[in-house]
Amino acid sequence: GAAQGGAHFLPALEHRRMKPHPERESSLPSRDQSLRGLELQRVSLSAEDLVTLSGAVEKLEDLTLANRALDARGLRAVVERLGSPLHLDLSGSEQGPDLMNALASRLGRTRTLWLYRNPIGDEGLRWLLSSGALDHVEDLGLGDCELTDVSLRALAEASLPNLRGLWLGGNRH
């Protein structure tokens, strides 16, 4: 596949759909390959692919697992192995505040964080803010995340020195 907008695609990903090659055990990279970026959207992963993926995400700089690329259990397994990517897009993963708690410790270097269409609510944002996970974030997408005025006040009062772009459309404020 070709790169679009700076995202990196794996050769095994064609038209954003996982197509395992019949002669390979897995369509995903092995642990010893040096991936810098990975984008998966609207794909179905086997249990074997999920294990391989969770081992390959530790050193990624750019990770997109958007539009329900993984179920809640699979996404949690990947997040638990995640290093600290510079760019992370979990848009449309339909995950709530519990995942934000697990994710908070993985965002130390993250500059771009897209969480659109995840019902994280005020509780999820509170986890991210109180943990310091957003301290280095420059661009933050929180549209359609079921945030209320409570979250908007918390964002306004937070010390986020690197924040330069904030997207909040579609919330309940």
Side-chain angles (χ1 to χ4, degrees):
Q4 290 179 342
H8 307 277
F9 292 84
L10 297 175
L13 294 177
E14 297 173 10
H15 307 290
R16 294 187 180 166
R17 297 210 186 280
M18 192 62 61
K19 301 206 181 218
H21 192 278
E23 295 157 9
R24 290 190 217 139
E25 288 182 24
S26 174
S27 56
L28 291 170
S30 67
R31 174 178 277 241
D32 58 333
Q33 289 179 308
S34 296
L35 275 181
R36 288 188 21 220
L38 176 63
E39 178 178 332
L40 297 174
Q41 295 192 47
R42 295 184 183 104
V43 296
S44 296
L45 297 177
S46 69
E48 180 182 304
D49 281 341
L50 181 58
V51 169
T52 303
L53 176 61
S54 67
V57 298
E58 294 176 43
K59 295 181 181 177
L60 288 178
E61 294 177 7
D62 189 341
L63 177 60
T64 297
L65 294 173
N67 300 314
R68 296 180 311 230
L70 301 173
D71 63 15
R73 191 175 60 143
L75 189 55
R76 182 169 288 281
V78 169
V79 165
E80 288 172 357
R81 299 292 300 270
L82 193 60
S84 185
L86 295 174
H87 309 282
L88 180 61
D89 183 350
L90 298 176
S91 298
S93 298
E94 299 179 0
Q95 300 301 306
D98 291 342
L99 185 66
M100 298 309 107
N101 183 21
L103 186 62
S105 65
R106 310 290 188 201
L107 301 176
R109 297 183 330 136
T110 303
R111 301 293 183 259
T112 305
L113 179 60
W114 301 128
L115 296 172
Y116 293 99
R117 297 179 318 280
N118 282 291
I120 68 170
D122 298 332
E123 182 183 354
L125 183 61
R126 187 172 36 253
W127 275 109
L128 293 173
L129 288 171
S130 66
S131 69
L134 302 179
D135 290 354
H136 298 287
V137 172
E138 296 172 0
D139 294 300
L140 179 59
L142 294 170
D144 293 316
C145 287
E146 298 185 9
L147 303 179
T148 68
D149 288 339
V150 171
S151 288
L152 298 182
R153 264 190 303 283
L155 281 166
E157 295 169 0
S159 174
L160 299 172
N162 295 307
L163 192 65
R164 64 178 189 194
L166 177 61
W167 290 266
L168 296 167
N171 284 294
R172 300 182 299 190
H173 51 280

